[in-house]
Structures are given as C-alpha cells and as structure tokens.
Amino acid sequence: MPKIISSQELDNRIGEICKELQLGHCIGLPTETVYGLAADATNGQAVARIFEMKGRPKFNPLIIHVANLDMAEEYGTFNALARQLADAFWPGPLTLVVPRRADTGLSELVSAGLGTVGIRCPKGLAREIIASFGRPLAAPSANKSGKVSPTAASHVAQQFEGTDLMIADNGVCEVGLESTIAKVEDEIITILRPGLVTADMIQDATGKEPEISKSQTIEAPGMMKSHYAPNANVKLNCNTVEDGAAFLAFGQVSIDTSCGCTVYNLSKSGDLREAAANLYLGLKTLDETGTDMICVSPIPHEGLGIAINDRLQRASAPRKP
Ligand code: TXA
Ligand code: MG
C-alpha cells in the first residue's frame, strides 16, 4: 500500500523523503500544478522505474525539476531570453525546453534521445525537497500513462495501489493543470503546451510574441492525441445532456436535470482559474459514477481557457484500442 505522509508531518520528514530518493525509489511529489511521480534525474535506474510505473512510452521525455536557475544551468544551456523567462516565472508553472548540456550526469532516458531538456522550478514544498536533496528530480504527472493527472495525494495513491510508493501529501494542487511548456531556440519562443502562464504573459515579460506549436507528435510527445482520458467518453460544447450522461458544467448553466444526471460544476461563478483547479477532480468524480459519457459545457477560449480546452480536447479524442 502507498505510504502517505500527511501535511502536518511533512516538515519533519523531508529527510526521510530524500532518503527514499537516494535509494533510487520514486516518490509522489506535490507541486503547484499537479502531483508528480518523481525520482533522482541523475540515476538512470530510478528514471527507468518512473517509465515502468507509469506504463509510459519510452519516446516521451520527462521534465526535470530544479531548486533554482543555478541548478537548471548545470543541465541546460540558457541564453539571455531563457534566463529572462526563468527570472519572470520561476518558481512557478513554466517549463523551459532548452539545449541539453553534455556530460552532466543526467540520465539519458530523461530526454529520450532529444538534444534538449525540459526544466522547471516548482513552487513550495517540491522546491524545498529538491533543494534539500541537492539534485534535480525527473517527474511526469503521477498518473498511469494517458490517464487524468492527479491533483490530490489520494488520487496518486489510487493510481498506484498495490505499490509501496511514498507520497508527500501537501493538499490539493493550487493550479490543477500541468505547467506551460515553452521551447527557447535562439530568439524564438514556441509554446508546446498551454498552461497558467499564457502567451500574453510571456510576451509581456519578454517583448516577444511566442509561436504556438501545431505539432501534435514530435516536439512534446506528451501531446499525443488521446491523453488525460477518463474511462467515460467525453463530449465537448454541450448545452444539453444526453440521457444517461453526466455533466461537467461551467458558469451559470440551466440544464434539465430531471433525467437524474450527475452534475459537477467547475466554477459556478465562471472563473477560469477555479475551473482549471477543479478540472481533473471533476472528470474523475463524474467518471467514478460509472457513466459512459461525460458532456461538458462550452469553456471560453481565452486566457487559461485555452489550456483547459486543450486538456478537454485530448480527453475527448478517439482512444487507442
Ligand atoms: O506541471 C507539470 O509540468 C507536471 C508536474 C509534475 O511538474 N509534469 C508534467 O509532466 O506534466 P508530464 O511528463 O506529464 O508532461 C511533460 C511534457 C510531455 O508532454 C513531454 O513530452 C514534454 O513535457 N517534454 C519533456 N521534455 C521535453 C523536451 N525536451 N522537448 C519537448 N517536450 C518535452
Ligand atoms: Mg502527464
């Protein structure tokens, strides 16, 4: 059974968590975005265990999490533009994809053969653990490959029941959606995955308008078409609910619930930030009713709504058999 370390105990048990990492084991790591399945990024076997536990395709590279820009620069090459982005948004939900430095001791598996590495400096407890451990942690979201990302320690425990994974419980994740991924190549910024840090925020910080990646497969292989998928099928932009379906609502919706359908409202006041934080919990809650269809309200396609719609589109994409 997974071992959950409660938030009250965390301060006194960071040493124990680091010991687990030292042994090459994975841990459940709370970050401000989602929970990660983390291991020592310089230990090849530990990184291989992440792929194994997640059932993740090997070609999909992992993000490394660092305590600060100095640690980041040991593993990746930061030009002035990448530094400017790190200064503006770290610690926080922005991953920077930069050229990977050679011979740093970073596991080869981390970047899955690419010449680049994705690096981010998370906020809060995750950062404290990394600083205390002294080495970067490779961490994908702590879900089985292709499934909904966990935003609470109990969701991680559910995904990995039957293992003895140590999970640091730091409550519900503040952001609730994975980090924005931005690739920096010379003077060009390309957003590979939308998130809380929007294109406008990046432009305000750097004076450069980022490009938006159209690539579905190569740049961020995690952007595979069907991703973040609950068991139920997902139908978007619904203003009515089909018979037997559950409803993931947004804002003040008036729908006929006389059919007895279960409704989860992402944000009754229509707040996108609140909706992002509730998205995965909402999908999971409705999925657990056993319904085979989740109908979703239209979500405004602006600001954080772009990231929410990105995840919902993937959740609704045709599944591999
Ligand atoms: O918020 C987050 O980013 C969370 C928390 C745990 O930090 N992590 C996360 O990791 O979402 P993961 O593995 O689920 O998604 C990472 C994405 C994948 O789509 C992967 O393909 C992409 O980042 N990625 C990682 N390294 C890359 C690289 N060098 N070039 C392009 N894409 C990369
Ligand atoms: Mg993921």
Side-chain angles (χ1 to χ4, degrees), residues 33 56 60 63 65 116 120 140-141 178-179 181 193 219 221-222:
T33 58
R56 166 171 247 185
N60 197 0
I63 294 172
H65 297 67
T116 54
R120 104 174 173 94
S141 48
E178 301 83 352
S179 61
I181 303 181
R193 176 173 75 183
E219 295 264 54

Side-chain angles (χ1 to χ4, degrees), residues 153-310:
S154 59
H155 306 175
V156 182
Q158 254 175 19
Q159 296 265 338
F160 296 100
E161 61 184 1
T163 73
D164 56 1
L165 180 70
M166 182 183 280
I167 303 167
D169 182 354
N170 199 31
V172 172
C173 300
E174 180 193 327
V175 179
L177 277 188
E178 301 83 352
S179 61
T180 303
I181 303 181
K183 183 173 188 178
V184 183
E185 255 172 321
D186 302 324
E187 293 308 301
I188 298 171
I189 307 170
T190 309
I191 296 186
L192 305 182
R193 176 173 75 183
L196 182 70
V197 176
T198 60
D200 287 348
M201 289 160 70
I202 288 179
Q203 185 164 359
D204 285 349
T206 61
K208 286 196 167 25
E209 185 181 356
E211 300 188 0
I212 312 292
S213 170
K214 297 274 181 296
S215 143
Q216 294 276 317
T217 49
I218 332 130
E219 295 264 54
M223 308 298 282
M224 285 179 293
K225 228 174 168 201
S226 164
H227 208 73
Y228 313 105
N231 292 316
N233 289 312
V234 176
K235 192 171 169 193
L236 306 182
N237 298 317
C238 300
N239 291 306
T240 56
V241 189
E242 294 177 15
D243 264 357
F247 189 45
L248 190 65
F250 176 80
Q252 291 297 328
V253 286
S254 54
I255 48 139
D256 179 10
T257 50
S258 56
C259 58
C261 71
T262 309
V263 180
Y264 184 102
N265 199 320
L266 292 171
S267 169
K268 288 193 175 137
S269 64
D271 179 77
L272 287 169
R273 182 103 202 213
E274 185 185 18
N278 287 331
L279 180 66
Y280 292 131
L281 178 61
L283 283 170
K284 183 171 182 299
T285 305
L286 294 181
D287 210 24
E288 282 170 358
T289 65
T291 182
D292 50 21
M293 173 68 81
I294 298 172
C295 295
V296 187
S297 278
I299 311 283
H301 204 66
E302 63 197 22
L304 194 47
I306 296 173
I308 297 174
N309 282 323
D310 170 74

